């Protein structure tokens, strides 16, 4: 159980320490203990002042997120926000003895809100301070909506809350969020002295909640709040909690901070059980659960050191992977087939880093140091001392087979042999080698140095040690690794191959291309399926589609629309013409000529236009596009390609941009119910063919009303 301790020094300063590893989160136990120790310190005559700090170099990472799950499940009835008024405001802030927050490591969410209730805040230079609650579908619930604007000003407070961006100690001091920056080794001692100085009136004794010096005049404040609302509606049209946050801030400014606190507590209680919060909390825990792989990570294996990495292929993917690795300090050897290609690959990596410098994310000195980790080569001579090789060449089976046969000869016997293939069976790639146990998929998503997901693909031969090693590399390069099985498309591409095919089917049967993209974008995807095909290019789209048509012929939809457009030299965004027209800045606009290709495709395919589909509601477009994805995800689970449904949720969010506030593809599906999805798919399969036919996994769960996300074992036991 988390708790706090109280130690009183000879100087009369009581040190209250928060102890709840790993980030000293403020669970209900900790909050209760905090109040108990505060009450004790306030009543003891030998305590003159109080310093609040956190154990092991972390102040507090905020309210215990597992507590939100318990509230959502009905296992906890307390409203932590209302509880905070009693503890944070009426105990800490109202204390008759001065209080100093000594902040090191993290002061996030409730942790920062506790610190803001203290008389004074001291921080180390690298400490991170912020209010990231909106990332969980919530608002700051421990008084943050009221105190932060009074300490840093309304505009900066809105920016920090609405973007969930933390600031470091130095910036926090310049903003007025903390009063001084102190080295970690002097932090607590300096805080003790500050507390005594405040007691002796050598430093000001201020109450954050009632400060007004940073708050703009009411008219100006309302203009700032109006602008913030407009931006929130524009950037997150499907979300209400950013607007609720702004409302709570405004209540405090207009009606006073105490009214603002009660408004905050009232809306917080409603948000914590909202669908958005449930979805985002699910994503939070699912992301942290991807590295737990039964039969692999529970065997006590330790990751081996990967000191040097080689990459084959300096194209967009290879250069992106190289960028991700050197940014995390890995020395990288980039191999190409000739000097021209090698120079191009090295220049791509250089351009990726220069982009970071231009955006202010990297200093020039850091740029030079990072780039020095990259070396180029045209042969395998230096592969004798690499620990990991990632092949990222074009998707040709013969070429990959030859590369892996060569790697087996030139790399040391412990070296991990990984392929970045997105569709090709790994057993096929490695069939000319005797090293099947160290062949693994390392599937990055483009652009590889930006996209957060890494699919680690294992075959029946891949050793557990190799998986553990690659999981460690994935974490170190700041990716979320998801371990999946070996099949065509693996998890993400396999799951989502029906996504664009469903869109083509709808168009052939009468739905407008731009109506589909509009509905899917409004649902929360970064772009619609046709804009996505334009972005990746028609060549890639056709090549990928052929893999699935070949492997799953009974449930693929074959439209002539894309081949017809390719015949006419359309290839997507790179050629300026695809489903959209593109200007010099690659801004998309509808193409009036597109209807000619659509009509020709319908004619060749022999599809009869369904008049009902011409005016298909957005809800039906969304379901007819995504329910086939859910159906395929069920197959992926049933075949054991994914370990658990939550891994597919994270894969859909981080690999395809599925809106996180819907919880991921399977979480969203379960919110609608297996029976409903089965019924609709069955109905469409009778009208439009086998493409929509529900799989046995989905049918079995629908028959019994079992959630799709239940594990196969759970499902079997319930069935």
């Amino acid at each position: 159980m988390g708790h706090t301790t109280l130690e009183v020094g000879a100087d009369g300063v009581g040190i209250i320490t928060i102890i709840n590893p790993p980030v000293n989160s403020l669970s209900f136990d900790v909050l209760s203990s905090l109040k108990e120790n505060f009450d004790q310190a306030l009543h003891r005559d030998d305590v003159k002042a109080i310093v609040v700090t956190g154990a092991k170099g972390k102040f507090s990472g905020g309210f215990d997120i597992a507590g939100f799950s318990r509230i959502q499940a009905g296992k906890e009835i307390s409203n932590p926000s209302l509880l905070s008024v009693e503890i944070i405001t009426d105990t800490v802030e109202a204390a008759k003895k001065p209080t100093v927050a000594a902040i090191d490591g993290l002061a996030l969410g409730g942790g920062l809100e506790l610190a803001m209730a203290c008389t004074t805040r001291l921080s180390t230079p690298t400490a991170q301070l912020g209010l990231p609650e909106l990332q969980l579908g919530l608002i700051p619930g421990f008084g943050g909506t009221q105190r932060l604007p009074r300490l840093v000003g309304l505009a900066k407070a809105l920016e920090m809350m609405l973007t969930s961006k933390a600031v470091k100690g130095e910036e926090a001091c310049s903003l007025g969020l903390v009063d001084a920056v102190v080295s970690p080794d002097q932090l607590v001692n300096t805080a003790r002295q500050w507390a005594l100085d405040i007691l002796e009136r050598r430093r000001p004794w201020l109450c954050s909640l009632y400060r007004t010096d940073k708050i703009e005049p009411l008219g100006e404040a309302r203009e700032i709040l109006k602008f913030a609302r407009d931006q929130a509606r524009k950037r997150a049209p499907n979300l209400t909690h950013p607007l609720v946050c702004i409302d709570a801030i405004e209540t405090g400014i207009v009606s006073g901070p105490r009214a603002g606190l009660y408004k905050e507590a009232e809306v917080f209680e409603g948000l914590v059980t909202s669908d958005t919060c449930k979805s985002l909390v699910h994503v939070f825990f699912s992301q942290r659960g991807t590295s737990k792989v039964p039969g692999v990570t529970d065997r006590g294996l330790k990751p081996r050191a990967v000191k040097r990495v080689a990459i084959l292929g300096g194209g967009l993917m290879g250069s992106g992977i190289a960028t991700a690795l050197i940014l995390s300090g890995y020395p990288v050897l980039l191999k190409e087939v000739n000097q021209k290609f090698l120079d191009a690959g090295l220049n791509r990596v250089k351009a990726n880093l220069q982009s970071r410098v231009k955006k202010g994310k990297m200093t020039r000195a850091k740029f030079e140091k990072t780039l020095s980790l990259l070396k180029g080569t045209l042969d395998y001579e230096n592969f004798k001392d690499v620990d990991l090789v990632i092949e990222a060449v074009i998707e040709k089976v013969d070429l990959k087979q030859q590369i892996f046969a060569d790697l087996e000869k030139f790399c040391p016997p412990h070296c991990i042999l990984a392929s970045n293939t997105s569709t090709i069976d790994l057993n096929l790639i490695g069939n000319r080698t005797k090293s099947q146990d160290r062949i693994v998929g390392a599937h990055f998503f483009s652009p590889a140095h930006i996209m957060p997901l890494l699919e680690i693909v294992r075959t029946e031969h891949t050793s557990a040690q190799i998986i553990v090693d690659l999981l460690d590399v994935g974490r170190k390069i700041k990716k979320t690794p998801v371990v999946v099985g070996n099949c065509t498309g693996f998890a993400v591409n396999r799951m989502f191959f029906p996504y664009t095919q469903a869109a083509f089917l709808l168009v052939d049967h009468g739905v407008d291309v731009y109506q589909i993209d509009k509905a899917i974008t409004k649902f929360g995807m970064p772009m619609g399926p046709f804009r996505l095909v334009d972005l990746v290019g028609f060549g890639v789209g056709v090549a990928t589609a052929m893999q699935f048509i070949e492997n799953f012929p009974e449930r693929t939809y074959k439209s002539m629309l894309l081949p017809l457009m390719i015949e006419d030299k359309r290839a997507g965004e790179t050629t300026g013409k695809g489903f959209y027209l593109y200007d010099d800045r690659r801004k998309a606009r509808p193409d009036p000529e597109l209807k000619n290709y659509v009509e020709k495709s319908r004619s060749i395919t022999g599809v009869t236009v369904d008049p009902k589909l011409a005016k298909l509601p957005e809800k039906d477009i969304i379901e007819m596009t995504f329910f086939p994805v859910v159906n395929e995800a069920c197959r992926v689970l049933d075949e054991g390609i994914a370990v658990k449904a939550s891994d597919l949720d994270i894969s859909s969010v981080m690999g395809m941009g599925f809106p996180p506030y819907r919880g991921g593809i399977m979480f969203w599906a379960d919110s609608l119910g297996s029976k409903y999805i089965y019924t609709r798919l069955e109905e469409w399969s009778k009208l439009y063919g086998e493409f929509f036919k529900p799989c046995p996994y989905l049918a079995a769960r629908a028959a019994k009303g079992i959630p799709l996300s239940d594990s196969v074992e759970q499902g079997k036991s319930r069935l």
Side-chain angles (χ1 to χ4, degrees):
M1 290 175 62
H3 62 286
T4 64
T5 60
L6 170 62
E7 294 179 10
V8 182
D11 56 1
V13 177
I15 307 293
I16 295 179
T17 304
I18 303 166
I19 303 170
N20 193 14
V23 294
N24 296 326
S25 56
L26 300 177
S27 63
F28 286 108
D29 296 325
V30 170
L31 288 171
S32 175
S33 175
L34 179 70
K35 183 173 188 335
E36 185 180 313
N37 276 320
F38 246 94
D39 286 342
Q40 185 186 149
L42 293 173
H43 284 95
R44 282 175 58 168
D45 293 335
D46 60 332
V47 177
K48 300 175 184 177
I50 301 166
V51 168
V52 184
T53 191
K56 296 187 178 179
K58 294 184 179 73
F59 185 77
S60 174
F63 185 72
D64 180 19
I65 296 172
F68 296 138
S69 296
R70 289 194 295 275
I71 293 169
Q72 290 163 357
K75 296 176 182 177
E76 181 65 64
I77 59 173
S78 299
N79 176 0
S81 185
L82 200 56
L83 187 65
S84 80
V85 175
E86 177 190 352
I87 299 172
I88 306 294
T89 304
D90 295 343
T91 302
V92 177
E93 193 165 44
K96 301 299 182 184
K97 297 176 182 180
T99 56
V100 177
I103 301 167
D104 193 11
L106 301 172
L108 300 176
L112 177 57
E113 291 172 289
L114 168 60
M116 289 192 292
C118 293
T119 316
T120 292
R121 287 150 298 286
L122 305 183
S123 166
T124 58
T126 57
Q128 294 184 63
L129 300 89
L131 298 178
E133 286 89 346
L134 268 75
Q135 290 182 335
L136 293 174
L138 295 165
I139 67 170
F142 284 11
T145 61
Q146 306 308 306
R147 293 186 181 88
L148 189 60
R150 288 166 171 77
L151 289 171
V152 303
L154 182 56
K156 185 63 182 180
L158 282 163
E159 178 194 326
M160 287 179 67
M161 284 186 264
L162 296 178
T163 64
S164 294
K165 286 184 179 176
V167 295
K168 289 194 175 180
E170 295 282 3
E171 184 181 355
C173 189
S174 68
L175 291 170
L177 183 53
V178 301
D179 299 285
V181 174
V182 184
S183 64
D185 59 326
Q186 294 296 316
L187 180 62
V188 173
N189 285 337
T190 305
R192 300 178 90 114
Q193 188 56 55
W194 273 64
L196 293 171
D197 287 347
I198 294 168
L199 180 69
E200 298 298 329
R201 304 294 178 175
R202 292 191 291 267
R203 294 188 186 276
W205 190 326
L206 299 173
C207 177
S208 303
L209 191 61
Y210 293 100
R211 286 182 60 174
T212 58
D213 54 301
K214 293 284 186 78
I215 297 290
E216 292 80 357
L218 186 58
E220 189 180 335
R222 280 188 159 145
E223 284 298 313
I224 294 170
L225 291 164
K226 180 181 180 300
F227 178 77
R229 281 194 183 92
D230 291 343
Q231 290 297 304
R233 289 190 184 102
K234 181 180 178 182
R235 296 183 183 184
N238 292 336
L239 301 177
T240 59
H241 66 284
L243 300 174
V244 169
C245 181
I246 297 168
D247 289 345
I249 295 168
E250 185 169 38
T251 299
I253 290 171
V254 174
S255 305
R258 194 80 187 184
L261 287 176
Y262 285 114
K263 174 71 172 179
E264 179 187 273
E266 175 194 335
V267 297
F268 185 94
E269 186 173 17
L271 289 172
V272 80
T273 54
S274 68
D275 289 341
T276 297
C277 182
K278 289 176 182 177
S279 297
L280 290 169
V281 168
H282 170 74
V283 169
F284 177 88
F285 284 113
S286 297
Q287 185 178 353
R288 281 145 186 82
T290 61
S291 57
K292 296 175 182 175
V293 186
V296 175
T297 57
D298 53 5
R299 292 172 55 177
L301 296 170
K302 301 293 182 186
R304 297 173 298 176
V306 173
K307 296 178 181 177
R308 197 174 188 211
V309 183
I311 296 173
L312 279 78
L316 287 175
M317 285 306 299
S319 59
I321 296 167
T323 304
L325 286 160
I326 62 175
L327 279 170
S328 295
Y330 283 99
V332 170
L333 186 65
L334 183 65
K335 182 185 180 301
E336 261 295 0
V337 293
N338 59 48
Q339 193 63 47
K340 180 184 176 182
F341 285 179
L342 180 59
D343 289 342
L346 295 171
N347 285 331
R348 286 190 189 98
V349 178
K350 188 176 180 180
N352 290 338
L353 297 180
Q354 285 172 331
S355 175
R356 293 179 66 83
V357 174
K358 189 177 179 181
K359 293 174 182 176
K361 295 181 178 179
M362 177 181 273
T363 64
R364 193 72 204 175
K366 180 70 173 173
F367 165 84
E368 298 292 348
K369 186 178 179 181
T370 304
L371 193 59
S372 70
L373 293 170
L374 180 67
K375 298 288 184 289
T377 186
L378 298 175
D379 54 45
Y380 290 108
E381 185 180 340
N382 293 316
F383 277 53
K384 60 182 179 297
D385 59 352
V386 298
D387 304 302
L388 165 64
V389 177
I390 302 174
E391 167 272 307
V393 303
I394 56 175
E395 296 282 75
K396 287 188 176 180
V397 175
D398 286 349
L399 175 60
K400 289 179 186 285
Q401 287 176 334
Q402 183 57 54
I403 285 172
F404 274 78
D406 291 339
L407 290 174
E408 189 177 41
K409 295 176 190 173
F410 292 101
C411 296
H414 72 274
C415 181
I416 303 164
L417 307 179
S419 173
N420 181 56
T421 181
S422 56
T423 54
I424 300 174
D425 189 318
L426 290 171
N427 288 322
L428 195 58
I429 289 174
N431 72 354
R432 294 185 191 174
T433 76
K434 297 176 182 177
S435 303
Q436 299 276 350
D437 62 326
R438 54 192 176 115
I439 291 177
V440 67
H443 180 214
F444 291 79
F445 292 77
S446 185
H449 58 297
I450 294 173
M451 291 293 280
L453 186 69
L454 170 62
E455 269 187 321
I456 297 175
V457 188
R458 57 177 171 175
T459 72
E460 63 270 27
H461 306 294
T462 308
S463 77
Q465 183 64 61
I466 295 293
I467 301 298
V468 169
D469 295 342
L470 207 49
L471 280 168
D472 186 57
V473 172
R475 284 190 292 267
K476 285 177 178 173
I477 62 173
K478 299 177 177 64
K479 302 296 181 188
T480 297
V482 176
V483 177
V484 299
N486 181 35
C487 70
T488 301
F490 313 132
V492 176
N493 288 335
R494 164 82 182 273
M495 228 187 345
F496 273 86
F497 89 80
Y499 175 66
T500 47
Q501 292 196 358
F504 281 115
L505 183 150
L506 288 175
V507 168
D508 280 348
H509 284 82
V511 186
D512 178 66
V513 164
Y514 305 117
Q515 184 187 357
I516 293 170
D517 271 8
K518 182 181 177 183
I520 298 301
T521 306
K522 194 173 175 182
F523 175 76
M525 294 293 284
M527 62 188 72
F530 296 103
R531 179 68 184 85
L532 179 63
V533 172
D534 272 4
L535 180 66
V536 301
F538 288 7
V540 173
V542 169
T544 304
M546 290 307 295
Q547 289 281 343
F548 293 107
I549 288 170
E550 184 180 324
N551 286 277
F552 312 116
E554 76 288 353
R555 59 177 187 273
T556 51
Y557 180 76
K558 306 171 191 69
S559 172
M560 288 303 298
L561 186 52
L562 211 56
L564 286 169
M565 294 172 76
I566 291 173
E567 269 183 27
D568 219 5
K569 309 299 181 189
R570 288 182 177 239
E573 187 179 307
T574 53
T575 60
K577 282 186 177 182
F579 290 97
Y580 293 81
L581 296 175
Y582 297 89
D583 59 21
D584 293 341
R585 296 182 178 181
R586 295 194 170 185
K587 186 177 180 181
R589 68 181 189 277
D591 182 1
E593 292 183 10
L594 184 64
K595 63 179 183 294
N596 300 328
Y597 296 100
V598 173
E599 287 168 5
K600 193 172 181 181
S601 173
R602 289 169 181 164
S603 173
I604 295 172
T605 312
V607 172
T608 303
V609 172
D610 186 342
K612 295 177 187 175
L613 295 185
K615 295 182 180 179
L616 196 65
E618 284 186 350
K619 174 179 174 289
D620 288 348
I621 291 174
I622 290 163
E623 291 180 355
M624 291 184 82
T625 304
F626 280 112
F627 283 6
V629 176
V630 173
N631 199 24
E632 197 62 33
C634 288
R635 291 187 178 97
V636 169
L637 271 180
D638 196 26
E639 293 169 21
I641 301 301
V643 175
K644 48 192 180 293
S646 59
D647 284 353
L648 297 182
D649 286 330
I650 291 301
S651 297
S652 67
V653 169
M654 295 190 167
M656 284 299 294
F658 192 85
Y661 54 81
R662 299 192 189 277
I665 190 71
M666 298 303 282
F667 189 89
W668 172 71
D670 276 338
S671 74
L672 301 174
S674 54
K675 285 185 179 180
Y676 176 73
I677 294 171
Y678 171 82
T679 302
R680 299 235 59 189
L681 285 170
E682 188 65 27
E683 172 192 333
W684 299 327
S685 68
K686 292 172 183 174
L687 293 171
Y688 307 111
E690 291 293 303
F691 176 77
F692 288 108
K693 187 70 178 173
C695 69
Y697 179 103
L698 175 53
R701 276 155 177 69
K704 298 288 185 179
I706 296 172
L708 298 175
S709 57
D710 271 9
S711 69
V712 175
E713 291 76 15
Q714 286 174 320
K716 284 178 179 175
S717 65
R718 291 201 196 192
L719 287 168

